[in-house]
Amino acid sequence: MDIITGRILEQAGYSMSPEANGFSAVPIDEIIEFQYNLDILWDKIDCFSKDGLVMAAIMPTERTIIMNDTCKSLFEEKIGTMHFTMAHELGHWVLHVEDKLNQQTALAFQEVEDVYYCRSFSKKPPEEFQADMFAGSLLLPRPVITSVIETLKDENHQIKFSHLYRICDLFKVSISALKVRLHTLNLLYIDKDGSIHNSKEDYQGQMKLTL
């Protein structure tokens, strides 16, 4: 996944180096609209389904991502949730829609009719997990977040949640998205009590010592 998103960021001209002006948030809306020629529209989607609140949807045949206007106040309050939702929908396009298009002729384009809905909670099928992984990888690139965490580890004896929230502000992501990404890359591990460890192995080692 990191290879796919790394190429996208390279094409977008996103710098993985802090040498110039430091790291910055990934311009997800620009990547969607200018790099992939997809429209982002706000409209009402049926607010609830049996699988949870519908946050957004992508309509492949119309090359459009629909952001649920009913959730606009939530998105405005939690910009990280909005960016992750957009990146998640782009993930469907890159991982699922384009793959189908590449296997069909232009005349068969209308056959790619799947509409992907992004819900706040549900029993997720594999493609939803894949889109989540894509979003985390795109918004928090491996070289960038690794550099940030390693710098924090060098400068601080113990990383605190205040540091993590500053990272969220910098990259415009939610704390939950950051936590999942840190766990995936094994850069930090946050246990069920909210304690931060350098890795899952460190946590497991400490648990063994207390037994």
Side-chain angles (χ1 to χ4, degrees):
M1 198 68 74
D2 288 330
I3 294 175
I4 296 172
T5 56
R7 288 172 181 165
I8 293 171
L9 292 171
E10 182 180 359
Q11 292 170 1
Y14 179 82
S15 176
M16 300 281 191
S17 170
E19 294 176 359
N21 299 312
F23 294 125
S24 60
V26 170
I28 183 60
D29 50 346
E30 294 179 13
I31 290 174
I32 289 171
E33 293 182 313
F34 299 117
Q35 198 164 328
Y36 283 89
N37 195 28
L38 301 174
D39 291 327
I40 301 174
L41 299 179
W42 290 86
D43 200 357
K44 287 187 177 180
I45 305 174
D46 289 341
C47 198
F48 284 93
S49 74
K50 64 179 181 180
D51 295 317
L53 176 64
V54 177
M55 311 287 280
I58 184 166
M59 307 181 73
T61 56
E62 298 180 21
R63 300 187 67 95
T64 299
I65 291 174
I66 305 292
M67 301 293 290
N68 193 350
D69 195 60
T70 307
C71 302
K72 199 164 189 177
S73 59
L74 169 65
F75 287 138
E76 289 174 345
E77 180 183 351
K78 299 182 178 181
I79 191 72
T81 300
M82 181 175 74
H83 283 179
F84 190 89
T85 301
M86 289 180 175
H88 175 100
E89 296 304 330
L90 179 61
H92 281 308
W93 180 268
V94 173
L95 301 176
H96 307 129
V97 176
E98 282 192 330
D99 184 60
K100 288 185 179 181
L101 292 178
N102 290 336
Q103 298 176 36
Q104 299 181 63
T105 65
L107 292 176
F109 178 78
Q110 63 268 23
E111 295 178 17
V112 187
E113 296 177 343
D114 295 347
V115 177
Y116 295 94
Y117 292 97
C118 175
R119 295 178 171 89
S120 59
F121 60 92
S122 65
K123 185 176 181 180
K124 294 183 178 181
E127 60 267 23
E128 292 302 313
F129 283 109
Q130 292 165 1
D132 279 351
M133 289 178 61
F134 175 95
S137 179
L138 184 68
L139 298 177
L140 294 163
R142 178 190 288 266
V144 173
I145 194 62
T146 299
S147 177
V148 170
I149 294 299
E150 288 180 348
T151 299
L152 277 174
K153 287 180 179 179
D154 289 340
E155 294 177 351
N156 300 275
H157 295 297
Q158 182 179 4
I159 296 179
K160 301 177 181 178
F161 268 99
S162 59
H163 300 127
L164 300 186
Y165 278 109
R166 285 205 295 271
I167 294 174
C168 290
D169 289 340
L170 176 61
F171 293 103
K172 294 182 173 57
V173 297
S174 67
I175 190 67
S176 59
L178 176 60
K179 178 180 175 180
V180 170
R181 186 64 169 149
L182 292 174
H183 285 186
T184 300
L185 298 177
N186 201 27
L187 293 173
L188 291 175
Y189 183 76
I190 303 170
D191 64 31
K192 62 181 181 180
D193 297 321
S195 297
I196 301 173
H197 308 269
N198 282 332
S199 67
K200 188 172 184 179
E201 289 74 19
D202 279 359
Y203 166 69
Q204 291 172 335
Q206 292 174 25
M207 289 296 293
K208 288 179 181 179
L209 290 175
T210 59
L211 293 178

